[in-house]
Amino acid sequence: MSNKDPVAAAAIRYKPIQSAVPGTTLGPIQIDAFLGAGKMYDTPGVHLHHRQAAVVHSEDLPALAPQSRLRARVFPNSQMDVDKQMADRVRSSGLTGFTIFWGGLVRIDVQKALRETRLMFYGPNAVQVHIVPTEEADEFYNREVCVLLTPPTGKEKAEAWTGLETKRHINLKYTNIERPACDVAVSGLGWISVEPVDITLKSSDHSVEEGFGELDFVVHVPKPVEIFVRSPMPVGKAGAKWYEYRELTEAECEIRPKWFF
């Protein structure tokens, strides 16, 4: 538009054209950006009640918007901020019996996993990941929500925060340890790639047995937020090594949205 209309070219210097945070348009905004006195209106988008943005305070919305290229945060890892006893327990038994908090918005209880299982978190860097033993998870969340576990932020918001009311049990059956078992997507935040066995470890550790197995997780989120289990998304060079194209099955075609032209 600014290439053809001098008024639009001048207006772009002083008026924001795009917000860094989605869902911030509360009402129609009139924009005078045409030489012929025409007007353009920016209108609010569709409210999606199942996304994290619908449950957090407006002040916390910037934390949900990625500010840079998404990079995986891997758990467990050698840089975890835990004491020596807890680190030794993770090394010996893996993530089983631990709870991972993704900010104050997501809680993952690992009920069954291999010692080599790892979780890869893809989402905004402003939402930090913390790990505690499951038996301490309730007390830890009640104490640290709005403080260490953010968003939500600020003790004044803690009283109105209803917590993680939705609970979903996820049982994953895997048949190939050369690739992630699935992605667990949290609407409006990001996704967690579940690797039954660390793919980089598998190439050098032949003690890991091939075959079938299962993993058990319980995922907690705020009440309206939805959780999706989907096929793993190939990310980066590691994803290129295991990704294989395949046609949709008949069952997948049946549930896929239909388009009519």
Side-chain angles (χ1 to χ4, degrees):
M1 186 185 301
S2 60
N3 294 332
K4 299 181 179 180
D5 194 307
V7 175
I12 199 172
R13 297 183 179 181
Y14 307 103
K15 296 184 178 181
I17 302 302
Q18 182 179 9
S19 171
V21 181
T24 54
T25 305
L26 302 180
I29 300 175
Q30 178 179 305
I31 302 174
D32 300 319
F34 297 97
L35 189 62
K39 303 182 187 302
M40 180 172 66
Y41 291 87
D42 181 18
T43 59
V46 177
H47 175 73
L48 301 175
H49 71 281
H50 60 83
R51 296 171 63 86
Q52 290 282 10
V55 301
V56 302
H57 193 276
S58 59
E59 295 176 358
D60 292 325
L61 286 176
L64 301 183
Q67 302 296 324
S68 60
R69 185 175 182 178
L70 294 181
R71 298 185 183 278
R73 283 173 285 175
V74 181
F75 275 76
N77 63 69
S78 57
Q79 282 79 41
M80 292 188 303
D81 185 17
V82 296
D83 57 40
K84 184 178 183 302
Q85 181 180 1
M86 188 169 162
D88 291 341
R89 178 179 165 185
V90 172
R91 278 193 294 269
S92 62
S93 305
L95 293 175
T96 301
F98 283 92
T99 291
I100 301 175
F101 288 100
W102 199 356
L105 302 175
V106 182
R107 166 179 169 173
I108 304 107
D109 298 332
V110 184
Q111 297 186 333
K112 181 180 180 182
L114 301 176
R115 183 171 62 87
E116 300 85 1
T117 297
R118 68 175 185 170
L119 305 181
M120 306 176 69
F121 291 77
Y122 292 90
N125 291 331
V127 185
Q128 297 298 309
V129 183
H130 301 275
I131 182 171
V132 296
T134 299
E135 61 269 20
E136 302 174 11
D138 290 338
E139 179 184 354
F140 179 80
Y141 186 80
N142 292 333
R143 182 179 70 248
E144 299 295 347
V145 66
C146 299
V147 181
L148 180 65
L149 301 177
T150 60
T153 56
K155 271 297 185 183
E156 65 279 1
K157 299 189 185 75
E159 297 180 0
W161 181 248
T162 57
L164 309 177
E165 299 177 311
T166 298
K167 182 190 301 186
R168 178 174 175 183
H169 176 252
I170 298 176
N171 178 262
L172 304 174
K173 292 180 171 57
Y174 62 87
T175 58
N176 185 356
I177 60 176
E178 301 283 355
R179 56 179 290 160
C182 73
D183 287 344
V184 179
V186 180
S187 185
L189 180 62
W191 74 94
I192 306 156
S193 181
V194 181
E195 290 188 359
V197 173
D198 184 343
I199 294 176
T200 59
L201 174 67
K202 176 63 179 67
S203 61
S204 58
D205 185 358
H206 299 287
S207 64
V208 179
E209 296 183 359
E210 301 277 358
F212 299 84
E214 62 180 24
L215 310 172
D216 267 311
F217 304 92
V218 177
V219 182
H220 309 246
V221 293
K223 191 171 184 178
V225 175
E226 294 185 356
I227 304 166
F228 304 91
V229 178
R230 68 187 187 199
S231 298
M233 181 182 297
V235 179
K237 295 180 179 179
K241 294 179 180 179
W242 56 259
Y243 176 72
E244 295 179 359
Y245 174 80
R246 67 174 180 83
E247 297 289 347
L248 294 177
T249 64
E250 291 185 4
E252 290 171 332
C253 288
E254 284 295 324
I255 63 174
R256 190 177 187 183
K258 303 295 189 298
W259 296 91
F260 301 95
F261 299 95

